[in-house]
Amino acid sequence: QVQLMESGGGLVQPGGSLRLSCAASGFTLDGYTTTWFRQAPGKEREGVSCVSSVGGRTEYTASVKGRFTISRDNADNTVYLQMNSLKAEDTAVYYCAAGRFGYDCLGHVAYEYDYWGQGTQVTVSS
């Protein structure tokens, strides 16, 4: 089976941390650009962070720079998103997606991706 599976979401207080995982099965994630998206109620889906299939280039949307870190573990065929200093506005469903892109990363829209996970809920609240 070709599949992506997110995990690691949950409820956390402002200022706390979470580590999200995106595990791939049925294909090798190293050959794909992998992007974390998120969607909050009433808002459009946005790309949060990505790691490119070429050279491991990483990108971040401005609102998470300095707080989030994306990484890829080829041995585990998993991409991670370490989220620190979480804010209420980070509350959303987080999805991972994989596509056969090259050097470019966040410059692709949702329909261009080949595989999507089911999403994991992140809630930041006191």
Side-chain angles (χ1 to χ4, degrees):
Q1 294 183 353
V2 176
Q3 185 173 270
L4 288 174
M5 183 69 70
E6 304 98 334
S7 62
L11 175 64
V12 65
Q13 293 185 339
S17 298
L18 286 173
R19 182 178 174 87
L20 305 184
S21 299
C22 175
S25 60
F27 69 104
T28 301
L29 207 52
D30 178 65
Y32 290 77
T33 290
T34 304
T35 300
W36 284 99
F37 291 88
R38 67 184 180 187
Q39 187 164 23
K43 295 184 178 181
E44 295 184 353
R45 178 170 45 214
E46 66 170 340
V48 176
S49 183
C50 60
V51 56
S52 175
S53 64
V54 178
R57 177 187 177 187
T58 59
E59 296 180 8
Y60 302 89
T61 192
S63 63
V64 308
K65 287 181 179 178
R67 300 188 297 120
F68 291 9
T69 303
I70 192 170
S71 62
R72 182 174 63 214
D73 188 327
N74 292 329
D76 293 334
N77 204 23
T78 300
V79 169
Y80 301 94
L81 185 67
Q82 178 67 46
M83 306 186 296
N84 298 326
S85 302
L86 284 162
K87 305 174 181 179
E89 50 262 45
D90 296 317
T91 296
V93 178
Y94 284 71
Y95 303 88
C96 65
R100 284 192 175 273
F101 314 133
Y103 179 78
D104 56 328
C105 200
L106 283 180
H108 293 271
V109 296
Y111 76 87
E112 295 183 279
Y113 285 84
D114 297 317
Y115 306 115
W116 285 84
Q118 296 297 308
T120 185
Q121 176 71 48
V122 172
T123 302
V124 184
S125 177
S126 58

